[in-house]
Amino acid sequence: MKKSIFSIALGAALSLSALPADACTRILYETGTKSYLVGRSMDWMVDTQTDLWAFPKGMARDGGVGQGSIKWTAKHGSVISAFFNVGTVDGMNDAGLVANVLYLVESDYGDAAASKKPKLSIGAWGQYALDNFGTVAEAVTALQKEPFVIVAPDLPGGHKAGAHLAIADASGDSAIFEYLGGKLVIHHGPQYTVMTNSPSYDQQLAINTYWNTVGGLQFLPGTARAADRFARISWNLNAAAKESDPRLATATTFSLIRAISVPLGIADPKQPNIASTVWRTVSDEQAKRYYFESAYNPAIFWVDLEKVLPAAGGKPMKLDLSGRPMLSGEVSDKFVAAEPFKFLSK
């Protein structure tokens, strides 16, 4: 007998009791002029020591895991947020493609050691997408062929490096990539506007379908768990006004992602992966503007990609955020040349 959407949702919800509550939220917001912004929160147990980087097109890259690593040359320049300077977890390229890497405990990339495919560090997954593709359709066509196998060593602090990838482009197209049971699963289409964490994306959609029948004006789940955040932000995103003024559109995207954030200092000893929001980003895909907000500072700053990206073949540039400097406004002039970080390898 075919299961109803509600039985699937119930099973998924019950299974959450065996899973840690994970971190981070991503949304794709449509403006009144049919342009798009991507908002994202980074929730983690400690400060992620994030710096911003500007990488030029023409940059030679490899998968970061030594012998057998995949190699490529960047077709696009990008501005990114690094995670402990071992991985690209967020960013936008010069074509307006946005990549967001979020934690997913169920991730299973298969046996990399047994595979004959070129290897790619989990820390390089988002960067590979930004370097190589200008649209979601282009990325899906290439990545569904699985040109590499992902290697996922433990993260700094010993946490499992499980993650899924969301991408969006200036047309509003969107895709979610997950590796489950060693197999790549892709959800492709503009309807995929929200991503959080556990459970897997098909189960998140089923749970959210249930909450849609309840109605956000009646009741929405209120915890910091990933499935609850998925339901709340989905309803809020659909209810939010589609602003035509670029400033109001940016403000609306920030208001949505702030509303789903976890306050500083929130922790649950029974759910060790419930974590405070440590930073937020908004990527304006039409204006090619990348906004960054640290939860530790009461200010927003941004980078105009046309101003900051090095010329093709130029040196990478870094905005050092150690010490939590108080920044506001456009900050391209504060980037300095630096050797690029190495992707997570061991």
Side-chain angles (χ1 to χ4, degrees):
M1 180 181 296
K2 187 176 181 179
K3 292 184 178 180
S4 71
I5 194 71
F6 299 106
S7 64
I8 295 173
L10 178 61
L14 291 173
S15 71
L16 289 175
S17 62
L19 294 172
D22 308 301
C24 309
T25 303
R26 170 264 196 186
I27 59 171
L28 176 60
Y29 170 79
E30 180 184 340
T31 75
T33 59
K34 298 292 184 181
S35 62
Y36 296 87
L37 296 93
V38 176
R40 184 260 174 81
S41 66
M42 167 58 79
D43 304 352
W44 203 250
M45 290 73 69
V46 295
D47 188 345
T48 58
Q49 300 174 32
T50 291
D51 295 318
L52 266 57
W53 291 81
F55 293 127
K57 63 181 178 180
M59 185 175 174
R61 293 281 201 181
D62 66 62
V65 290
Q67 186 175 2
S69 293
I70 191 170
K71 298 181 185 296
W72 71 94
T73 299
K75 299 175 183 177
H76 298 278
S78 59
V79 170
I80 68 96
S81 294
F83 180 82
F84 290 102
N85 279 325
V86 296
T88 295
V89 290
D90 196 82
M92 178 168 55
N93 71 16
D94 54 22
L97 185 81
V98 175
N100 314 102
V101 180
L102 277 64
Y103 195 74
L104 182 68
V105 71
E106 293 89 351
S107 296
D108 177 2
Y109 306 103
D111 186 355
S115 175
K116 295 181 180 179
K117 292 182 179 181
K119 296 174 173 56
L120 180 77
S121 167
I122 183 66
W125 193 13
Q127 192 63 55
Y128 185 90
L130 293 171
D131 284 353
N132 285 287
F133 310 116
T135 67
V136 170
E138 183 185 1
V140 169
T141 298
L143 295 179
Q144 67 186 359
K145 298 175 184 177
E146 299 191 55
F148 50 75
V149 60
I150 289 180
V151 178
D154 287 346
L155 297 169
H159 302 286
K160 178 184 175 183
H164 49 179
L165 169 67
I167 58 174
D169 65 28
S171 75
D173 200 5
S174 176
I176 312 296
F177 300 83
E178 296 180 337
Y179 283 86
L180 304 170
K183 304 294 184 181
L184 176 62
V185 179
I186 303 174
H187 299 266
H188 178 202
Q191 68 271 32
Y192 301 120
T193 56
V194 170
M195 187 169 84
T196 57
N197 315 101
S198 296
S200 59
Y201 201 70
D202 58 339
Q203 294 185 51
Q204 286 282 22
L205 294 173
I207 294 170
N208 194 54
T209 298
Y210 164 75
W211 285 113
N212 284 339
T213 67
V214 176
L217 292 176
Q218 303 300 318
F219 182 80
L220 284 172
T223 78
R225 299 180 70 89
D228 287 2
R229 285 185 283 112
F230 193 106
R232 289 204 311 281
I233 195 62
S234 294
W235 191 88
N236 287 339
L237 180 62
N238 290 329
K242 295 181 178 180
E243 300 289 353
S244 296
D245 179 272
R247 184 179 296 185
L248 286 176
T250 303
T252 299
T253 309
F254 262 116
S255 72
L256 287 163
I257 207 66
R258 287 176 184 139
I260 206 65
S261 296
V262 181
L264 286 174
I266 296 296
D268 183 348
K270 296 181 180 179
Q271 300 288 345
N273 285 335
I274 285 182
S276 301
T277 298
V278 294
W279 51 258
R280 290 170 281 265
T281 61
V282 168
S283 300
D284 186 328
E285 297 179 286
Q286 183 177 52
K288 310 292 194 307
R289 180 172 290 168
Y290 186 71
Y291 295 88
F292 188 94
E293 179 183 44
S294 169
Y296 301 106
N297 286 328
I300 296 173
F301 62 86
W302 62 88
V303 183
D304 288 328
L305 268 65
E306 291 183 358
K307 293 182 179 179
V308 75
L309 286 180
K315 287 193 173 184
M317 306 282 286
K318 176 183 177 182
L319 177 60
D320 190 337
L321 298 180
S322 61
R324 302 171 183 170
M326 183 70 74
L327 301 174
S328 62
E330 212 285 330
V331 296
S332 294
D333 61 348
K334 292 180 169 49
F335 281 71
V336 297
E339 289 298 315
F341 61 83
K342 296 183 183 300
F343 295 120
L344 182 68
S345 59
K346 292 182 180 179

